[in-house]
Amino acid sequence: MNSKYFKNKKAIAAPMLALLLLAGSCKKFTDLQPNNQFSETSAFSSADRVSLAVTGVYSAMQAGAYTDGTNRGYPFGAANVCQGEARGEDFIAVPSFFLITYQGDYDATTANNTAMWTTLYAGINRANVVIKGVQGAVAAGTISAAVGAAYEGECRFLRALAYHELLIHFAKPYSDDPSALGVPLQLTAVTGSPDVPAASQVQRSTVAQCYTQILADLDFAETNLPAVPAIKITHASKGAAIALKTRIKLHMKDWAGVIAEGAKLGTGTVSATYTSPIGSYALTASPDGPFASVGANYSNPESIFSIENNTNRNSGTNGSISTMFTKAPGRGLMVISPIIYDAPFWTANDLRRTLLTTTDNRYWYTSKYKDPATFTDANPIIRYAEVLLNVAEAYSRTAALSANAFSLLNAVRNRSVTAAADRFASIASFATANDLTQAILNERRIEFLGEGRRWSDIHRLVTDPVFSTGGIPSKPSSANATFATYTIGKPYAGARSVAAIPYTGGAASYKFIWPIPVVETNANPVLAAQQNPGY
């Protein structure tokens, strides 16, 4: 990425208990490597400083401190993608950082799941601190009410994103039991010792209460954010808030809600092509469009919201997306599993095989991430393709062989499946609505391969009466997956030495959900009494 896009500016700092969270500034791209700090009292004393404080929330979400204090891309710089794939079956973790996650060997002291909890809450607190400061700046006349509402909308969008990530790892699915324990809702700023006693007594809200708060944050963001932000893709927007709501409502099985939100982004009527009236989002002509070259994932019409990494601020050798997923010169620690590579529903001539995968004649890798040298690939949080498939599934769940669902599925699929013989010729290609829904679910696994979405789908579908994942499937180890096991169209029948983790029944079923970290339960006796069963 061209260095002219970066400009060092000042930053602020605000403590959350023992954590120091930094805020950066922005020019054309976000400067995620600040070089100065402001005191808490002066951080919101001018319009420029308020702007820098808001950028600091993105910085916290991109790179909170790992358990050893280093930047490993937690929570959203890269780690959510690595963890989301390592928890599923469509990637294999080569022995190293994410093997514990892949094998289900974690406990309440394990670094990977502990880091997700602590950095997500650090980012949430950063958002809370800035919301409080922004509201104070509006009251003082430092910024206008409209500017303040937009800044608060950015913070609340990021807070909603963080809370949903916590829920899919540390709580039961909404679709199973909305009244089950969710995660603690910390909605006020913790900036020093006076705030600590109250913060250390916050108990877990229910899953339903957490989803209600997430939607409230996203509704506020939708109302107050611009359709096109000054910095596209890596800053929150009205369209990003709506797009994320289609995901949230999908987890709630609120099919009508998914359809209503998607309609705002142009999915309400059958079309040969789809374009959003908000933000002008559209699919790129080729499936590699959002990933075609270094920097492309910062400037394409399909990426709705991504987390920036840049040459000054990234997860480096031990954590970046490109390092983890890319063959040499990357480290190649996350490799495509023959489970998905061999799946008959992934046709041999699908362009996503030729354009978005590569091999070293030992494993197959995703090639979505192009910069293992300087680690500048953005983390693709949500794309227009997901909106289309979210809405397609909602339509397929609510109508017998929905023409809308069929059209939305084909919009995503047919840009990659170009041979007429491999395409779904008409709605008559499906005998039932369930067959159409299954095709949409299959498409998600191919389209978002290497983007961390697999765990999210395993979690939300685990109790589905028709499409249940049953839990975390059994998987092959990296030793099981020899090059000969990658056979297109012939289902993988090799060894699966990593045992399944069922959602219910069986000694290991409690491991479907992660434990609250011991560093948290030691500090908060209320949460110690609300630990997830089995830990």
Side-chain angles (χ1 to χ4, degrees), residues 99-442:
L99 188 63
I100 289 175
T101 298
Y102 185 74
Q103 295 182 156
D105 293 333
Y106 37 77
D107 58 32
T109 67
T110 305
N112 287 354
N113 37 294
T114 294
M116 287 301 288
W117 177 280
T118 57
T119 58
L120 284 164
Y121 272 108
I124 288 166
N125 190 62
R126 179 71 265 175
N128 292 339
V129 168
V130 174
I131 289 170
K132 178 182 176 182
V134 165
Q135 292 172 345
V138 170
T142 305
I143 57 175
S144 70
V147 169
Y151 284 155
E152 183 173 345
E154 291 185 75
C155 294
R156 292 181 68 167
F157 171 85
L158 293 169
R159 185 170 72 181
L161 181 68
Y163 269 123
H164 193 243
E165 193 71 16
L166 284 162
L167 286 170
I168 64 172
H169 289 299
F170 295 96
K172 288 184 175 181
Y174 183 100
S175 56
D176 179 21
D177 184 5
S179 66
L181 289 176
V183 297
L185 285 174
Q186 180 63 47
L187 304 175
T188 57
V190 178
T191 58
S193 57
D195 307 314
V196 172
S200 64
Q201 295 293 321
V202 176
Q203 63 180 348
R204 296 174 73 173
S205 296
T206 67
V207 170
Q209 289 168 334
C210 292
Y211 271 82
T212 296
Q213 180 60 50
I214 288 169
L215 289 174
D217 279 348
L218 293 176
D219 286 342
F220 183 94
E222 177 190 353
T223 299
N224 292 286
L225 287 174
V228 181
I231 301 176
K232 296 180 181 179
I233 298 179
T234 60
H235 275 222
S237 64
K238 184 184 297 291
I242 297 167
L244 190 54
K245 281 198 286 182
T246 69
R247 179 188 294 175
I248 301 304
K249 290 176 180 285
L250 196 72
H251 278 255
M252 300 171 73
K253 291 193 171 182
D254 177 4
W255 312 127
V258 176
I259 291 169
E261 297 297 338
K264 300 174 186 176
L265 300 182
T267 64
T269 58
V270 172
S271 175
T273 59
Y274 291 88
T275 301
S276 171
I278 298 172
S280 298
Y281 307 116
L283 296 176
T284 57
S286 176
D288 66 339
F291 311 96
S293 62
V294 175
N297 47 20
Y298 295 101
S299 57
N300 70 88
E302 185 172 329
S303 296
I304 297 176
F305 179 73
S306 300
I307 291 287
E308 181 185 355
N309 294 284
N310 64 49
T311 52
N312 295 324
R313 178 81 158 181
N314 57 65
S315 310
T317 302
N318 288 335
S320 74
I321 299 177
S322 52
T323 298
M324 295 295 105
F325 286 91
T326 303
K327 70 176 185 179
R331 300 189 68 183
L333 299 182
M334 297 293 296
V335 302
I336 296 173
S337 172
I339 290 176
I340 183 65
Y341 191 87
D342 299 351
F345 58 77
W346 193 0
T347 61
N349 296 319
D350 191 314
L351 294 179
R352 287 166 294 195
R353 289 188 183 276
T354 54
L355 297 177
L356 293 172
T357 69
T358 187
T359 185
D360 60 1
N361 295 321
R362 173 66 177 86
Y363 300 114
W364 282 87
Y365 304 83
T366 182
S367 56
K368 287 182 174 179
Y369 309 112
K370 310 297 186 185
D371 189 15
T374 56
F375 326 117
T376 61
D377 294 287
N379 179 350
I381 299 297
I382 192 161
R383 297 192 279 122
Y384 195 53
E386 183 183 340
V387 174
L388 300 191
L389 292 179
N390 289 348
V391 179
E393 182 178 341
Y395 273 122
S396 75
R397 298 276 200 158
T398 55
L401 293 176
S402 163
N404 294 76
F406 180 72
S407 176
L408 289 160
L409 167 62
N410 278 346
V412 177
R413 188 173 188 271
N414 286 355
R415 68 171 174 176
S416 299
V417 179
T418 57
D422 292 333
R423 288 180 167 181
F424 300 125
S426 70
I427 196 72
S429 301
F430 305 97
T432 68
N434 283 344
D435 293 333
L436 177 55
T437 300
Q438 185 63 64
I440 294 166
L441 295 176
N442 293 344

